[in-house]
C-alpha cells in the first residue's frame, strides 16, 4: 500500500437501518383483465447526501420528506444521475442519493371491498436501494441490475390520503463482496488531499453509473393471484412440448385454465380446470428461430393463464399472459445446436450506455440499437457485463436475437472476492437472474462472470459451486463464464459447457503488430480445445478507434487499424469454425463511457459505432462478413433485404448474392 493511502471498504449501510428484504420480482408486471399498472417515471425530487459519513439522510430522516430537510433538484427517472447536471462532484459522487415522489393511487385500488394488492416495483437501482412509503420502510435490495418489489397494500390503505410519498435511497458504493466488486480507498496524506478524502477503486472498464436506471411503477393483483409461471419447452421430431408450472399465492383452493394462442390469436392448445403443472403438446409447431436462421424468426405464442378462487364467498380471478417460444438448445463437443441445427454466434458485446442517460432506460436508444443490430446482420449478443433491462430482453425474444445472459460478476480480481461471503451473494444474484429470465427463448446460455482472476486456487471451488448451482436451477441451458486467463492455469473453465475466451492480440500486448494475430489466435484456440474438448466462442476482440482518424499503413487508434485487426481475426475464425469455433462477438457494439484515465480518451473507443450510434469503417466490414455468414448458413429468399436506403439498392445491383442474403424488416 502506497504511503498516505488506506484501503477500506466500509459497509455502506447505516447500522440503524432495518434490512427489510424485498422480494425479487417473479413475473414482469403486465396489464391484464385483472391487473392494472401505473407508471411512476418522470421527474422526481433528488438530493445527494454530501456529509462526510454519507449518513446525514438517515440521521435526519429524509425518508419523512427530503424536500422539507434541505434543497432538492429535479431528476429524471429512469436515468443515471451522473451526467444530468453541470456539477462535476455529482458526476463522480459515491454514496447515498435520495429520490422522492408524491403519487396518487386510485381509490378503487385500495378499498377493502376491491380485494386487491398494490405492489411497488423497481426495475433496477444501482447499487444498494432502500425504499419507504409514507416514511415506512418497505424494501431493501442489494444489486444494481435486477428488479425487486414490495407489497404496500396495508400501508396505503391505512393512510387517510390518496396521495402517497415514495422515497428511494440509492448507494453506488462497491465493496469486495458486491457484484461487481470494488473498494473505497481513503487518501490520508493531508498535504495532498483534504481530510476524509476517498475514491472508489474498481476493476472493470465501464463507468460506475448510478441512480434509478429502469422504470418504477405500481401494479395491482387480486388478493389471490398468479405468483409465478415457469415454462420449459422441448422439440421431439415434429412435436413441440411446453411443460408448465404455475404458483398461486393467497389460497390453496383454486381452479386453473391455460390457453395457448398463435400470433393470429387462434387457440392451438388448452387445458381447462387443470393442475398447476403439466404439459401442452403441439403437432408441427412454429418454432422459435434466431434472426437470419429462418424466414420467420422470433415466433412467439401467448400462454394465457386464468386462475379462479373462491374465499369467504368472494370470487377472485387473475389473468396473466406469458409469451412463449418453443425451441431446444443442445451443446456437443464441436457445435451449438438450436432446434437440432448448428448455430454460429455472429454478434456483439454491448453496454447499456448512452449520452446524458448513462445506463437509464430509453426507448429511442433501444430501438435504434436493435435496428443497427439487424442492419449489421448480428444474430446475438452478450449482456456484458450485467443483466439488461427486461424491455430489451422482450425485444430479443420478439426479434429472434440470441442472448448470452451474463450476471454482474465482472472485476472479480481480489482474493477476498472469492470467499464465502462473496460466493453466497453471487449465488443469490444468479438465482434472481435465472428466476427473471428462465422463460425467455432468446436466452440460450448463462454467463456467471467476465474475466475473473480464475487462476487463483480459490477459483476452483468458487466456480464449481456457482456453475453447479446455476445448472441445478436450470438444467436446460448451458453455463459458461468468460475468461482471459491462460489455458494452463485457469481453474474454472473445466466446469463450463462452452469456452468463452477474450483476447486482444496486437493491442494490449505486441501493440501495433498485426502480423502476430493469426499465429497467437491459432495457438489460443488449439490449446483450449486440446485440453477441454469443448466448443469455443471468441467472446471479445477488437481495437480502440477514434472515429475519423486515418492512416495508411494502419497505425493504432485509426479506423484502418481497427479494420485490419478484424480482418486478421476473420482469417483464423474461418479456419476454426470448420472444427470447434461456434461464435465471434466483437468488442464492442458502440463506444461507451469509462472512468477517467490516461488510457481512456472520453471512454472506451472499441465500438464499431460511436456512442452516438454512427458507424465507423469497421461496421461496414463486419456487416459484410455477418451477412455472408448468414448466407452460408442458410439460403435466404430473394424477397429479403432490398427495402433499405439507396445505398442498399446499389449494393443489390452490384452483388445479387449479397442481396439474397439480407432480409427486409420495417
Amino acid at each position: 500500500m502506497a504511503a498516505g493511502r488506506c484501503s477500506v471498504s466500509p459497509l455502506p449501510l447505516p447500522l440503524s437501518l432495518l434490512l427489510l428484504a424485498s422480494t425479487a420480482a417473479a413475473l414482469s408486471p403486465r396489464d391484464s383483465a385483472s391487473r392494472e399498472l401505473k407508471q411512476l417515471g418522470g421527474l422526481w425530487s433528488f438530493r445527494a447526501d454530501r456529509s462526510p459519513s454519507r449518513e446525514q439522510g438517515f440521521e435526519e430522516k429524509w425518508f419523512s420528506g427530503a424536500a422539507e430537510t434541505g434543497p432538492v433538484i429535479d431528476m429524471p427517472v429512469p436515468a443515471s444521475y451522473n451526467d444530468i447536471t453541470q456539477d462535476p462532484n455529482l458526476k463522480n459522487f459515491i454514496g447515498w442519493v435520495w429520490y422522492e415522489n408524491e403519487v396518487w393511487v386510485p381509490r378503487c385500488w385500495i378499498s377493502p371491498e376491491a380485494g386487491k394488492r398494490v405492489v411497488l416495483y423497481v426495475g433496477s437501482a444501482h447499487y444498494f436501494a432502500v425504499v419507504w412509503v409514507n416514511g415506512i420502510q418497505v424494501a431493501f435490495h442489494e444489486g444494481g441490475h435486477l428488479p425487486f418489489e414490495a407489497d404496500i397494500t396495508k400501508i396505503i390503505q391505512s393512510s387517510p390520503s390518496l396521495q402517497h410519498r415514495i422515497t428511494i435511497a440509492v448507494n453506488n458504493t462497491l465493496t469486495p463482496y458486491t457484484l461487481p466488486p470494488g473498494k473505497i480507498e481513503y487518501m490520508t496524506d493531508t498535504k495532498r488531499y483534504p481530510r476524509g478524502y476517498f475514491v472508489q477503486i474498481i476493476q472493470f472498464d465501464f463507468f460506475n453509473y448510478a441512480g434509478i436506471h429502469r422504470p418504477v411503477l405500481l401494479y395491482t393483483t387480486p388478493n389471490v393471484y398468479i405468483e409465478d409461471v415457469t415454462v420449459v419447452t422441448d422439440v421431439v421430431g415434429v412435436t413441440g412440448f411446453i411443460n408448465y408450472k404455475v404458483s398461486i399465492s393467497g389460497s390453496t383452493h383454486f381452479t386453473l385454465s391455460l390457453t395457448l394462442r398463435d400470433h393470429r390469436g387462434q387457440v392451438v392448445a388448452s387445458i381447462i380446470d387443470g393442475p398447476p403443472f403439466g404439459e401442452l403438446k403441439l403437432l408441427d409447431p412454429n418454432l422459435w428461430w434466431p434472426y437470419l436462421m429462418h424466414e420467420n424468426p422470433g415466433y412467439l405464442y401467448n400462454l394465457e393463464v386464468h386462475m379462479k378462487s373462491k374465499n369467504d364467498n368472494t370470487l377472485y380471478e387473475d389473468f396473466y399472459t406469458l409469451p412463449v417460444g418453443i425451441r431446444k438448445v443442445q451443446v456437443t463437443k464441436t457445435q451449438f445446436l438450436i432446434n437440432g441445427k448448428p448455430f454460429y454466434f455472429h454478434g456483439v458485446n454491448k453496454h447499456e450506455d448512452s449520452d446524458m442517460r448513462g445506463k437509464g432506460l430509453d426507448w429511442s436508444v433501444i430501438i435504434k440499437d436493435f435496428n443497427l443490430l439487424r442492419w449489421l446482420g448480428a444474430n446475438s449478443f452478450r449482456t456484458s457485463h450485467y443483466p439488461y433491462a427486461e424491455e430489451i430482453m422482450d425485444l430479443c425474444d420478439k426479434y429472434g436475437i440470441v442472448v448470452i445472459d451474463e450476471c454482474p460478476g465482472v472485476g472479480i480480481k481480489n482474493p477476498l472476492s472469492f470467499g464465502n461471503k462473496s460466493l453466497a451473494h453471487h449465488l443469490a444474484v444468479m438465482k434472481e437472474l435465472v428466476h427473471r429470465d428462465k422463460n425467455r427463448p432468446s436466452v440460450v446460455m448463462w454467463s456467471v462472470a467476465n474475466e475473473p482472476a480464475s487462476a487463483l486456487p480459490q477459483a476452483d471451488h468458487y466456480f464449481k459451486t456457482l456453475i453447479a448451482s446455476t445448472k441445478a436451477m436450470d438444467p436446460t441451458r448451458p453455463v459458461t463464464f468468460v475468461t482471459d486467463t491462460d489455458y494452463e492455469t485457469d481453474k474454472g473453465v473445466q466446469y463450463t459447457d462452452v469456452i468463452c475466451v477474450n483476447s486482444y492480440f496486437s493491442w494490449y500486448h505486441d501493440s501495433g503488430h498485426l502480423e502476430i494475430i493469426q499465429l497467437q489466435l491459432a495457438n489460443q484456440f488449439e490449446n483450449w480445445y486440446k485440453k477441454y474438448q469443448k466448443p469455443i466462442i471468441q467472446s471479445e476482440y477488437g481495437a480502440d478507434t477514434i472515429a475519423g482518424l486515418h492512416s495508411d499503413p494502419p497505425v493504432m487508434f485509426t479506423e484502418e487499424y481497427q479494420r485490419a485487426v478484424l480482418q486478421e481475426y476473420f482469417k483464423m475464425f474461418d479456419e476454426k469454425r470448420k472444427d470447434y469455433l461456434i461464435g465471434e462477438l466483437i468488442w464492442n457494439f458502440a463506444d461507451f463511457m469509462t472512468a477517467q484515465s490516461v488510457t481512456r480518451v472520453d471512454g472506451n473507443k472499441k465500438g464499431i459505432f460511436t456512442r452516438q450510434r454512427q458507424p465507423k469503417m469497421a461496421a461496414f466490414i463486419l456487416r459484410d462478413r455477418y451477412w455472408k455468414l448468414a448466407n452460408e448458413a442458410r439460403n435466404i429468399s430473394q424477397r429479403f433485404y432490398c427495402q433499405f436506403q439507396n445505398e442498399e439498392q446499389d449494393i443489390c445491383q452490384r452483388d445479387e448474392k449479397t442481396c439474397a442474403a439480407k432480409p427486409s424488416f420495417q
Side-chain angles (χ1 to χ4, degrees), residues 59-256:
E59 294 166 354
E60 297 181 358
K61 299 182 179 180
W62 290 2
F63 49 82
S64 298
E68 300 168 4
T69 62
V72 296
I73 62 174
D74 288 336
M75 186 62 65
V77 171
S80 301
Y81 62 73
N82 308 79
D83 294 341
I84 299 299
T85 75
Q86 301 307 109
D87 182 355
N89 293 320
L90 186 59
K91 179 179 179 68
N92 298 295
F93 184 79
I94 302 296
W96 290 103
V97 298
W98 293 72
Y99 291 81
E100 183 178 284
N101 198 5
E102 300 279 343
V103 303
W104 290 94
V105 175
R107 190 185 303 274
C108 62
W109 281 19
I110 59 174
S111 64
E113 296 78 17
K116 293 182 178 180
R117 301 165 61 244
V118 180
V119 180
L120 175 62
Y121 171 95
V122 181
S124 77
H126 187 72
Y127 175 83
F128 295 93
V130 188
V131 183
W132 296 262
V133 175
N134 298 334
I136 301 171
Q137 186 184 333
V138 298
F140 162 76
H141 187 257
E142 179 180 353
H145 308 91
L146 290 166
F148 60 96
E149 62 186 30
D151 186 334
I152 62 171
T153 310
K154 291 182 179 179
I155 293 174
I156 60 176
Q157 283 181 340
S158 65
S159 171
S161 173
L162 294 176
Q163 190 176 32
H164 304 276
R165 183 178 62 253
I166 298 175
T167 308
I168 304 178
V170 183
N171 189 332
N172 62 342
T173 302
L174 300 177
T175 78
Y177 314 108
T178 58
L179 280 183
K183 66 179 180 179
I184 297 296
E185 190 165 276
Y186 284 88
M187 305 303 184
T188 58
D189 185 349
T190 56
K191 295 180 180 179
R192 302 177 62 190
Y193 304 100
R195 292 187 182 276
Y197 188 84
F198 65 89
V199 293
Q200 173 85 76
I201 304 297
I202 55 177
Q203 296 290 328
F204 52 86
D205 189 30
F206 54 93
F207 195 85
N208 187 31
Y209 278 114
I212 301 175
H213 286 154
R214 296 173 191 162
V216 179
L217 54 88
L218 298 173
Y219 74 90
T220 67
T221 74
N223 285 334
V224 182
Y225 62 98
I226 300 165
E227 182 179 37
D228 194 19
V229 181
T230 302
V231 296
V232 176
T233 67
D234 196 6
V235 181
V236 180
V238 295
T239 305
F241 297 89
I242 301 174
N243 292 283
Y244 69 86
K245 180 180 178 181
V246 180
S247 300
I248 305 298
S249 183
S251 177
T252 57
H253 304 288
F254 56 85
T255 61
L256 199 63

Side-chain angles (χ1 to χ4, degrees), residues 20 30 36 102 167 203 236 284 291 305 349 417 546 605:
L20 242 176
R30 300 182 190 274
E36 296 179 83
E102 300 279 343
T167 308
Q203 296 290 328
V236 180
D284 196 22
Y291 177 54
V305 184
N349 294 275
S417 299
I546 306 300
K605 301 296 186 184

Side-chain angles (χ1 to χ4, degrees), residues 200-487:
Q200 173 85 76
I201 304 297
I202 55 177
Q203 296 290 328
F204 52 86
D205 189 30
F206 54 93
F207 195 85
N208 187 31
Y209 278 114
I212 301 175
H213 286 154
R214 296 173 191 162
V216 179
L217 54 88
L218 298 173
Y219 74 90
T220 67
T221 74
N223 285 334
V224 182
Y225 62 98
I226 300 165
E227 182 179 37
D228 194 19
V229 181
T230 302
V231 296
V232 176
T233 67
D234 196 6
V235 181
V236 180
V238 295
T239 305
F241 297 89
I242 301 174
N243 292 283
Y244 69 86
K245 180 180 178 181
V246 180
S247 300
I248 305 298
S249 183
S251 177
T252 57
H253 304 288
F254 56 85
T255 61
L256 199 63
S257 298
L258 294 91
T259 303
L260 190 70
R261 297 182 186 272
D262 63 18
H263 73 283
R264 296 168 299 179
Q266 300 297 312
V267 177
V268 295
S270 64
I271 294 177
I272 306 300
D273 294 341
F277 53 89
E279 181 181 84
L280 294 167
K281 185 185 300 184
L282 284 82
L283 186 64
D284 196 22
N286 289 296
L287 301 182
W288 187 94
W289 289 102
Y291 177 54
L292 300 179
M293 201 172 176
H294 192 270
E295 291 183 7
N296 190 15
Y299 191 96
L300 296 173
Y301 292 91
N302 281 319
L303 180 63
E304 299 174 355
V305 184
H306 180 198
M307 182 277 307
K308 289 184 181 180
S309 177
K310 193 169 185 179
N311 284 3
D312 299 326
N313 296 319
T314 300
L315 177 64
Y316 296 100
E317 286 190 89
D318 195 14
F319 299 83
Y320 191 85
T321 299
L322 179 72
V324 174
I326 300 174
R327 62 103 180 95
K328 183 176 184 177
V329 172
Q330 297 167 286
V331 177
T332 73
K333 287 185 176 182
T334 59
Q335 291 182 315
F336 195 98
L337 305 176
I338 296 181
N339 301 330
K341 293 187 178 181
F343 176 76
Y344 187 80
F345 294 79
H346 47 87
V348 301
N349 294 275
K350 291 184 88 277
H351 268 299
E352 290 182 322
D353 176 277
S354 62
D355 288 331
M356 294 180 290
R357 307 157 189 82
K359 292 193 181 304
L361 184 137
D362 184 283
W363 275 112
S364 298
V365 175
I366 290 171
I367 295 301
K368 179 65 173 179
D369 283 2
F370 274 98
N371 284 334
L372 288 174
L373 285 171
R374 294 188 293 175
W375 172 88
L376 191 65
N379 63 8
S380 54
F381 66 75
R382 174 169 63 121
T383 66
S384 45
H385 299 296
Y386 39 81
Y388 288 1
E390 290 182 273
E391 292 81 355
I392 294 174
M393 305 299 286
D394 287 343
L395 291 178
C396 291
D397 291 338
K398 179 180 179 180
Y399 294 149
I401 302 298
V402 169
V403 177
I404 300 173
D405 206 353
E406 188 162 272
C407 83
V410 58
I412 306 176
K413 306 293 188 182
N414 190 328
L416 284 175
S417 299
F418 286 89
N420 290 335
K421 184 176 180 179
S422 294
L423 179 57
H425 178 56
H426 206 150
L427 291 168
V429 170
M430 284 307 303
K431 183 178 180 180
E432 286 188 34
L433 176 58
V434 171
H435 195 71
R436 190 194 76 164
D437 290 344
K438 62 188 175 183
N439 296 325
R440 297 191 177 279
S442 60
V443 175
V444 301
M445 184 157 55
W446 306 111
S447 173
V448 300
N450 177 76
E451 296 184 355
S454 51
L456 291 175
Q458 304 96 308
D460 190 307
H461 170 73
Y462 192 93
F463 285 106
K464 180 180 181 180
T465 305
L466 184 59
I467 291 172
S469 172
T470 305
K471 288 185 176 184
M473 288 186 285
D474 178 16
T476 71
R477 292 177 175 90
V479 181
T480 189
F481 76 88
V482 177
T483 184
D484 65 347
T485 301
D486 186 83
Y487 78 100

